[in-house]
Amino acid sequence: MAQYDPAKRYTWTPEDTFTLTGAQFGLILNTVRSYLSSEEAARFQLMVQTNEVIEKLMIDGVEADIIKEVEAEASVAE
C-alpha cells in the first residue's frame, strides 16, 4: 500500500469519488461561508471585477490598434 507524503504532488481524475462525513462537510461549508462573508472576500471580488474591466479594455485597445505589443529587445552578447 502506498503511503501519503505531504511533500509530494498527487493527482486524481474528475470521476474519482471522495466521501465526507457530515462533520467534514460542515467544516468545509462553514469555512467557505465564513470567508465569503469577510471584508477580505468582498475586496477580492471587487479586484476580480476590476480585472475583468481592465482585460476588456486591453482587448478593445489591442483590437483597435491603440495598445501595441512590446517587441522583445535583443540581448547583448558579452
Side-chain angles (χ1 to χ4, degrees), residues 27-53:
L27 175 64
I28 294 168
L29 177 63
N30 290 333
T31 300
V32 170
R33 284 181 173 170
S34 174
Y35 177 76
L36 290 176
S37 67
S38 72
E39 193 174 315
E40 179 183 356
R43 280 195 299 266
F44 180 77
Q45 290 174 355
L46 285 173
M47 288 189 310
V48 169
Q49 291 173 6
T50 301
N51 185 63
E52 290 171 356
V53 169

Side-chain angles (χ1 to χ4, degrees), residues 4-64:
Y4 173 68
D5 180 351
K8 293 181 179 179
R9 294 183 55 169
Y10 295 91
T11 188
W12 49 87
T13 70
E15 293 79 26
D16 289 332
T17 301
F18 297 90
T19 304
L20 300 173
T21 65
Q24 292 168 327
F25 181 77
L27 175 64
I28 294 168
L29 177 63
N30 290 333
T31 300
V32 170
R33 284 181 173 170
S34 174
Y35 177 76
L36 290 176
S37 67
S38 72
E39 193 174 315
E40 179 183 356
R43 280 195 299 266
F44 180 77
Q45 290 174 355
L46 285 173
M47 288 189 310
V48 169
Q49 291 173 6
T50 301
N51 185 63
E52 290 171 356
V53 169
I54 291 170
E55 290 295 325
K56 176 75 168 95
L57 289 170
M58 293 293 293
I59 290 168
D60 293 346
V62 169
E63 289 175 353

